[in-house]
Amino acid sequence: MRIVTLQESTKKNILENLLKRSPNQYGQYEDSVKEILEAVKTRKDEALFEYEEKFDHAVLTPETIRVSEAEIQEAYEEVDASLLVVIRKALENIRSFHEKQKQYSWFDPKPDGTILGQKVTALARVGVYVPGGKAAYPSSVLMNVVPASVAGVKEIIMTTPPSLEGGKVNPATLVAAKEAGVDVIYKAGGAQAIGAMAYGTQSIPKVDKIVGPGNIYVALAKKAVFGHVSIDSVAGPSEILVLADETANPRYVAADLLSQAEHDELASAILVTTSRELAEKVSEEVDAFIKTLSRKEIIQKSLDNFGYILVAQTMQDAIDVTNEIASEHLEIVTKDPFQTMTKIQNAGAIFLGEYSSEPLGDYFAGPNHILPTNGTAKFFSPLSVDDFIKKSSIISYSREALEPIHEDIEAFAKAEQLTAHANSIAVRFKK
């Protein structure tokens, strides 16, 4: 990996390079996505089935687009029993973590007859998008479905491409969905699936919110339908940043960097350290590991384009650039990682210590792995139960509570030249 001495000019260039990975930079695909969405919006199932045949090579009908119970049972027979055990263990951890995020309605009554409060209501119907293709991501199924289920969403539907031979869905995806509590699964992928959930078709109902990762077409489609429905985020490629000092194990650091570089040629893997010696050892370990890994071509392109080892003069300089990059995954491997963590402002998920490797969070620990990317950790949070609820303010005043303040409200309204507002209060006290 390239080793770069951290300076203000190099930091600026690196940040600009990383931002090239954002879905907001892929405007050339937007026209195609808009065309697909408009077709699904206007022609509904007819357009949806056409695009499924074109892109996923699956001939679907209103009867076959919905995954049947027989197909789900067949998936259970095809999935290795040991994987099912692991899915259930992970599911328990994920559910336990998200249960702690639940919010409840509250009311604050006063002796004068005032009642203020907040009513928490789960969304009625949520759509989860799950990528297909050659790879299966049952972990993402769990991470998207569990917080919706814990929040109390009444109906959770899922769409995923029928990308296997015979128009089948990956069995691990189906099993994970059933275990997590998905109500209905549809065979649909790409921008057309996002359009179907956003606008509704004869086969797929309109949802209130769409969550889940996907390719650039899915990301842009989610961006385009925002406003018709809510979305979780416009996710970019995966990324990891390891913040380390001279106490870090270079072999562990190298392995963790590569765990994200293998996702995608656009993935980013960055080490920020105060130790030139660690930087050089990590670079050597990376080179050695790549030769043994199955996705070496993808890893190498990722590192060539978006991989860096940054050597900072001080730990404060290292922390500053870490906060500026605002990585999706941040590992802190320093002498006192908890103390270092207190200075971190921007990160999706933070992993502390040399045995808290990033894949622990991807699969098993419990916190959500749907995280803000491309610097959006500066203002976004991981997917959570909060994403599947809405809050209504509650205001109740008696006459006795309103009377001593009614003139204050009228004066405020008149100051804004909104006399109808003022009259709405005054009329209650005119004789």
Side-chain angles (χ1 to χ4, degrees), residues 377-394:
K378 292 178 179 178
F379 45 83
F380 277 141
S381 305
L383 191 73
S384 72
V385 171
D386 290 350
D387 287 289
F388 300 98
I389 61 171
K390 55 185 179 178
K391 303 168 187 175
S392 301
S393 300
I394 303 298

Side-chain angles (χ1 to χ4, degrees), residues 141-372:
V141 177
L142 304 184
M143 294 293 182
N144 280 284
V145 175
V146 169
S149 175
V150 169
V153 172
K154 294 183 178 67
E155 184 180 6
I156 304 171
I157 72 168
M158 187 178 95
T159 64
T160 188
S163 50
L164 300 183
E165 187 176 348
K168 294 176 64 176
V169 173
N170 191 287
T173 298
L174 293 183
V175 167
K178 183 69 174 179
E179 292 289 321
V182 172
D183 294 297
V184 187
I185 306 168
Y186 296 97
K187 303 171 187 175
Q192 63 271 22
I194 301 301
M197 290 191 285
Y199 306 123
T201 74
Q202 293 90 339
S203 297
I204 298 179
K206 183 184 186 305
V207 302
D208 298 312
K209 184 164 190 169
I210 300 172
V211 299
N215 62 19
I216 188 64
Y217 293 96
V218 170
L220 290 175
K222 287 171 66 178
K223 179 182 175 184
V225 300
F226 177 67
H228 295 279
V229 294
S230 179
I231 63 171
D232 50 354
S233 65
V234 182
S238 188
E239 55 201 30
I240 184 172
L241 189 150
V242 180
L243 175 60
D245 61 15
E246 70 282 354
T247 66
N249 184 315
R251 189 167 177 80
Y252 296 171
V253 172
D256 293 355
L257 291 171
L258 297 177
S259 73
Q260 294 307 291
E262 76 169 341
H263 267 297
D264 191 316
E265 293 174 5
L266 293 175
S268 170
I270 299 173
L271 167 63
V272 181
T273 182
T274 51
S275 170
R276 170 69 64 168
E277 181 181 359
L278 178 71
E280 293 172 351
K281 288 182 177 179
V282 168
S283 182
E284 292 171 5
E285 293 286 357
V286 165
D287 292 341
F289 272 131
I290 289 176
K291 296 174 184 176
T292 68
L293 298 172
S294 61
R295 295 168 69 87
K296 63 183 70 176
E297 291 82 8
I298 291 173
I299 291 172
Q300 193 61 62
K301 288 182 179 178
S302 167
L303 296 181
D304 289 345
N305 292 322
F306 304 107
Y308 299 93
I309 297 176
L310 305 179
V311 181
Q313 187 171 358
T314 68
M315 180 52 68
Q316 188 58 55
D317 289 339
I319 290 169
D320 288 344
V321 75
T322 296
N323 279 323
E324 190 66 27
I325 293 172
S327 185
E328 176 188 20
H329 306 100
L330 169 62
E331 290 188 8
I332 301 178
V333 194
T334 58
K335 186 176 182 180
D336 188 348
F338 279 88
Q339 177 60 30
T340 306
M341 179 267 292
T342 64
K343 300 178 181 179
I344 297 300
Q345 301 297 316
N346 307 318
I350 303 174
F351 301 77
L352 302 177
E354 64 180 11
Y355 289 99
S356 304
S357 177
E358 188 279 335
L360 173 66
D362 269 354
Y363 296 112
F364 209 77
N368 211 288
H369 79 199
I370 311 295
L371 303 166

